[in-house]
Amino acid sequence: MPSPPLPETVVRHRFAAFLIWQSIPSSAIFLFFNLFLFSTTSIISFLLTFLVFHASNLIFSISLALLSSLSSDSPLPPLQFALGLLRHLSDPDFRRRARVSLRIALFVSATGFAGFCSAAVFCLETRVIGRVGFRGFVTGLLYAVLFVIKQRRVLEFPIIQRPPFFSFKIGLPSALTQALKLSGVLYVLSTIMLLFLLDWSGGLVSVSRFLGEQVISYAGSFCLILSWEVTHHIHQVLHTKRFAFAPPKGSAAAETNPSEPLLAALEGSPPGSLEQYLAYLDLYMVSQNNVDTWRCAAFFAESSETYKRVITLCLRPLEELASKLAAGLDHTFTELGESYIDPKFGESLKSFQLYAWCAQTAASLTLISHKEDSLGVAQLSGANADVVSTLLSLLLAVETFMGKKNNLQSPQQLLGPASIKWATSSMVKKDVKPIKKRSGALYSYAYAASDVLRISIYQIVSTFRDEMVSSDRTGNLGRDWIGSKKPVFGTNEMLLQKLKLFLEFQA
């Protein structure tokens, strides 16, 4: 049996499939509108119109694929982009945002050009090619601008994975509704712009021609936007579909080492790439449901290496996020007498989907180990302590970044005679208000991340509550569930006190 394809091969195949499948609904939309509204008198004219419409839609599809992203990275303003080419060309952050700016500019230009070609080609046999083409150009530009502003370029992975055809079918009504709304709004805006270019000297002849042109223009705009909406929906469906990085069930590889293709995809994929997201999505699905139980059971083999590799790959993105947020506490600026953390250190929170998968996967595997790990792989390898300490450390970092004040009880009430202090002044800056109100979107990502982390920790605490309470009574809670490694953010004492708040359901 053939081995699973490489992650980059999967992405290339999906891109090729997207270019093929987008042509089918586009052809259906073209034939419907051409037969009922834009009737042509010759086969040559029909074929020319068909080819130009498809070529323009192909241009839109390619530019859409180039624009699509896994996180909502903000582009550079034009002046900052021009100055950065001379001063900050070696800065990785500048290069990343510059690529986003170039892709947005390419998408807007390509959509405007596609709108012009598609609208003008319907009017080859009339005398209004210029005006209708201009209206199509304006429609394409405005559609692209709204598309970028609403962050629709970000790929959103559905919680429930359905077959592609079913996902495409249930998305058609929303695409139709969106096309009706946008075509009406963009038609009015393009009409206002065109009124300044209209020559009214022809009297009623020009007026009647103008009214007929409006019918053609609105129908053409609706046809264009409906085709673009369906194309965007197909792109989302095909690129966010789960791919199983596993050998075929029943093969020799499935019996000996079924986790190796997934681990190779996780370790070999470039950070932030679609390949990496697909690999983490597959791992998340394996840990969350009981469909691929044989794959999940393979993590708890006699050798603990596989489970340790999986947990390490889940915790690595979380540790990197905590490190970036911790670095932001050392870079503050003052405005109107108050200190703020530079929001750029929280830009990584925009990759919220990846961090949510990692946190939930690590928590789920820890829960599964409570019943399925008969050999004690998770506990003996120290993976449980690594998961709990990493989740607690990141939660503290996110809460501090949000400016949340942790209401702690006195050491005697919470810790007993040990009287462990919560934190030193060097660890948490109480006078810092991290995110300004105008950074509302970033605050939303931080709030969502804290919710996911808190739920994940509560799941672990609820499952292992008896073990944790027993360790706490003997004074070994920190050793068993926090470990001795220095956390990325905070201290072991801080994590221990936070864990006790979770045990009392007060976190």
Side-chain angles (χ1 to χ4, degrees), residues 3-14:
S3 59
L6 297 175
E8 52 269 20
T9 304
V10 175
V11 174
R12 286 199 300 267
H13 287 174
R14 292 193 174 187

Side-chain angles (χ1 to χ4, degrees), residues 1-2 4 244-255 258 290-295:
M1 294 184 180
F245 292 93
K249 192 173 182 179
S251 63
E255 298 294 335
N290 58 358
V291 176
D292 297 329
T293 53
W294 61 280
R295 295 181 60 191

Side-chain angles (χ1 to χ4, degrees), residues 322-398:
S323 177
K324 293 177 181 178
L325 296 179
L329 297 177
D330 297 327
H331 295 79
T332 61
F333 61 94
T334 303
E335 184 175 296
L336 299 178
E338 293 186 343
S339 298
Y340 296 94
I341 295 176
D342 193 340
K344 73 177 184 180
F345 289 96
E347 289 291 319
S348 298
L349 285 168
K350 293 181 178 180
S351 301
F352 163 76
Q353 181 67 85
L354 178 64
Y355 301 129
W357 285 339
C358 291
Q360 292 172 328
T361 300
S364 297
L365 291 177
T366 305
L367 300 183
I368 294 172
S369 70
H370 189 257
K371 292 183 178 180
E372 302 295 333
D373 185 16
S374 58
L375 300 175
V377 171
Q379 190 69 31
L380 295 177
S381 64
N384 287 352
D386 292 340
V387 170
V388 173
S389 62
T390 301
L391 294 179
L392 289 171
S393 177
L394 180 56
L395 178 60
L396 288 176
V398 172

Side-chain angles (χ1 to χ4, degrees), residues 406-422:
N406 293 282
N407 296 321
L408 303 175
Q409 302 178 17
S410 65
Q412 289 76 14
Q413 291 175 321
L414 193 61
L415 299 176
S419 299
I420 299 176
K421 295 183 179 179
W422 166 249

Side-chain angles (χ1 to χ4, degrees), residues 451-466:
D451 275 351
V452 170
L453 293 170
R454 194 174 289 108
I455 292 173
S456 299
I457 297 172
Y458 267 126
Q459 288 176 334
I460 298 175
V461 169
S462 299
T463 303
F464 291 90
R465 180 173 179 80
D466 293 339

Side-chain angles (χ1 to χ4, degrees), residues 280-288 299 307 310-311 314-315 318 354-368 387 452 456 459:
Y280 274 106
L281 173 61
D282 184 39
L283 177 60
Y284 169 77
M285 296 297 291
V286 171
S287 67
Q288 291 292 321
F299 295 154
Y307 186 78
V310 171
I311 293 298
C314 289
L315 299 183
L318 304 180
L354 178 64
Y355 301 129
W357 285 339
C358 291
Q360 292 172 328
T361 300
S364 297
L365 291 177
T366 305
L367 300 183
I368 294 172
V387 170
V452 170
S456 299
Q459 288 176 334

